[in-house]
Amino acid sequence: MKNLIYFVLLCVIYACNLKNGNQLQEEAKFYEDELFLQDYAIKYQYHGNENLKGLERESNGNIQVLAGTKLLSPSTGEFLVPGKLLANNYYLPMAEKQVLAISSYDSQVFYLDSQAVFSNSYAGTVFIHHHLKSPSAFAVGKDFNFSIAEDNRVKLIREGMDSQELLLPDGQKVLQLKYHPATNSFWALSKKNLYRLDFEVEKAMSFAMADSLTSFDLDSSGSRALIGSENGFCEIPLTLSEKEIIWQRKIPWTEITTVSYSGEKLWFGTTKGVFSISRNKAGVEADISYYFGERWILGDRVIAINTENEQEILILTEAGLSKIIFEEMTIAQKAQYYEKQVRERHIRYGFNSGLLLYEKGNIYNARLKDSDNDGLWTAMYLGGQAFRYAVTKDPEALQNCKESLLAMERLYSINPVPGFPSRSFERSGYSNQMSDPERWQHSEIPGWDWKATTSSDEAIGHIFAFGVLAEIVDDPWIKSTSIALIDTLMTHIVENDWYLIDYDSKPTLWGKWNPEYVNSFPVQVGDRKLNSSNIIAMLQTAYHFTGKEVYREKAFELMNEHGYLENLTRSMDHIGRTENGDDQWADLLSQAWNHSDDEMYFLGYWGLYRYAFNDTLKTQYKKAIIDHWEAEKPEKDALWNIFTAMVQPDNFDLEESIWFLKKHPMDLINWNIRNSHRKDIVLVQDNFRKQSTEMVLPPSEAVVGKHNSNRFKLDGGNDGMSEYSAGDIWLLPYWMGRYLEVIR
């Protein structure tokens, strides 16, 4: 009997454990890496004088572009290295031809000139005179049937047979001709109508009467037509003689120049770029992707789109040809590309640096540049490489950590102030060519200068990186150096009454955590909460790794006697503009939300939460972190989300984080970006957080920026004259996600 009871109890315990295990498995939030389509562009510049007007792709993949009456082809372009459109001289007689239009059928290219339609395919046997004075467009059909347009007249010609023709009943000029293989029919578009052409009865059947039509395409079955106009698009069935036309205008730009079906996507060229609309399996329009600006295409006005290869969409504009490539990769493979980008052209003395381009878009005519925040951007890169090493044990990641940590260590030794971190350093004699030349000082080390006025951004970034390195990288030098630097910086701050003291024995503008300064702000001013949160995180980190009681004592003194715990746990709902106007400095700091503050908060949350003095504080910190994250959710920033996964792994917007990582552009050149003209965004009233639209745009369509930028910024850029490093922007959230096992 006892054995039976024991057996039953074991079964109950097993069932409970199984149930609990299943619940945990269901509650786990992580992304299992899989292939997705990454888009990027290859561009071919055009420097000729003739207007570009035609685009076709041959069966062998070769591309032909019509400029004026001559043919061009793309040459030598690759990602980030533009090619050119050059004369296509493969067929000697073509140099003498005055080509008026090009078209294709069955992946072969055909030509129209003032005398005939012809092709170089089929052993050159296709050559048929059309006897038209001013032909403007043509289409190729089955068995070498050709329809050719001249004003409002369309003529059908076939080898060895009498020609037939008809007139468009609206009297309008033919804008576009197409042949549809599935229905063996020719179609014509005028400014006012879409017609199916029946040459046997000399009749043009009307399908879409409207104004200002510009382009059309038919789906593969011939059951639907996609029609573009100067003010939106419509899609209509072709099975009914009468139909209601519903124009779609909630799209990036409504002045459409060309349209095209491509698998599950609809493609639209406009006078301001190109966009696609994806459909889900149910055929419902699900997602818009907008490609505008030199990150994606040359020029503004789209002349033609070729979608025959869904993985390589061709876009012709007045300025050249662009290929939008869709390449299958995982986000791990995307990380490998970014790792290479950083190492090849963004490491300066070990710093994670930006690239200044001397020529627009040319990454090979460039130099590394300093910034006010060399220490901060390098700290964020260091954190990412530390997470990478902890996850992969890749010796390259360890070497990267050592190289950048050495640069960080030198920030402290290159200036004469004990424990003070420089912003940056450079060889002497170049300060007038660096950013903020007035901040540079000569070092006591011959041949070197260093940058002063270090801010709190650097301080919290340093402590974050040193804490991560000391905790998770199993290398003796890295651990000991990181801990020594934590102690060095925090000793300086504590002994100088909570200030960063510069070479002139004065506090820097932003390096201030003193209670008299911090609590002088009204509770609405973010600096009161931010500085309190950061300094407690820094002191906890210092205590955790050094064990020095002074850091613990000082932290509790600030929290209990000076209200720093109340400051840092105050809800974000209280942060806003000051009201009385008595303090100009407070008024200035509270005019709008400072997105650099978000970066400082979240970098500080690593030490605030992980190295909390006790569980009671940890619970309070967690609540504060989640409260901040709730305010940041609309930005869909992967870094803020993944920091939140540290405290709340079951709810941190995992899907939005992966969206951010996938949608981030491979091209990090700071191109000019414009979105404020878009018709598909919903603008909101001016607000404290400077959120301009209801929904944030994908990173691929927005101005490239670091995590301290406003992700709701619609327009901006540097005209392609600089390139950002992925080291802090993308690699930190990715590798942190890998370390926290929310990305696997």
Side-chain angles (χ1 to χ4, degrees), residues 218-283:
L218 305 174
D219 70 359
S220 58
S221 67
S223 62
R224 301 183 71 80
L226 183 63
I227 306 173
S229 77
E230 293 177 4
N231 190 23
F233 78 93
C234 68
E235 190 179 21
I236 61 171
L238 298 176
T239 54
L240 301 175
S241 58
E242 294 184 8
K243 53 194 70 65
E244 180 185 3
I245 298 178
I246 301 175
W247 291 98
Q248 306 296 328
R249 296 187 174 96
K250 193 175 181 181
I251 52 180
W253 192 239
T254 54
E255 194 174 359
I256 293 172
T257 58
T258 182
V259 301
S260 180
Y261 282 103
S262 177
E264 299 302 317
K265 289 184 179 181
L266 311 177
W267 281 90
F268 303 85
T270 78
T271 56
K272 292 187 177 180
V274 63
F275 66 92
S276 67
I277 300 178
S278 300
R279 286 173 165 159
N280 58 26
K281 293 180 180 178

Side-chain angles (χ1 to χ4, degrees), residues 690-701:
K690 294 299 180 184
Q691 179 174 335
S692 58
T693 56
E694 282 188 355
M695 300 290 291
V696 71
L697 292 171
S700 58
E701 299 172 20

Side-chain angles (χ1 to χ4, degrees), residues 61 84 178 234 244 280 478 481 532 621 667 688 691 702 721:
K84 295 180 180 180
K178 276 184 179 291
C234 68
E244 180 185 3
N280 58 26
I478 286 178
T481 301
S532 299
Y621 298 155
D667 181 349
F688 178 71
Q691 179 174 335
M721 298 302 293

Side-chain angles (χ1 to χ4, degrees), residues 445-482:
I445 301 173
W448 289 91
D449 293 340
W450 63 280
K451 198 172 188 179
T453 72
T454 305
S455 74
S456 52
D457 304 58
E458 274 67 54
I460 191 61
H462 288 209
I463 295 298
F464 160 73
F466 300 153
V468 170
L469 289 166
E471 179 184 353
I472 70 175
V473 177
D474 55 356
D475 178 86
W477 179 81
I478 286 178
K479 281 186 179 293
S480 61
T481 301
S482 299

Side-chain angles (χ1 to χ4, degrees), residues 424-441:
S424 186
F425 55 76
E426 183 53 89
R427 297 185 188 276
S428 297
Y430 299 94
S431 60
N432 63 332
Q433 301 177 48
M434 312 298 281
S435 62
D436 306 305
E438 72 281 358
R439 297 183 178 183
W440 287 87
Q441 308 296 321

Side-chain angles (χ1 to χ4, degrees), residues 292-362:
F292 183 39
E294 291 184 81
R295 175 185 296 159
W296 296 110
I297 65 172
L298 300 166
D300 294 349
R301 185 183 185 90
V302 176
I303 297 166
I305 300 177
N306 184 296
T307 62
E308 292 174 8
N309 182 347
E310 294 178 28
Q311 278 70 54
E312 187 179 282
I313 306 299
L314 306 180
I315 312 294
L316 185 68
T317 69
E318 77 281 2
L321 176 70
S322 301
K323 295 179 182 178
I324 299 179
I325 310 294
F326 293 89
E327 181 179 332
E328 279 194 339
M329 66 174 63
T330 63
I331 54 175
Q333 291 171 326
K334 190 171 182 176
Q336 291 174 0
Y337 164 76
Y338 282 139
E339 293 285 357
K340 189 170 183 284
Q341 184 245 19
V342 175
R343 300 311 302 180
E344 284 186 348
R345 54 184 184 271
H346 287 281
I347 298 299
R348 169 182 160 269
Y349 303 131
F351 292 128
N352 173 45
S353 299
L355 195 68
L356 178 68
L357 310 186
Y358 292 121
E359 180 185 355
K360 181 178 179 179
N362 188 347

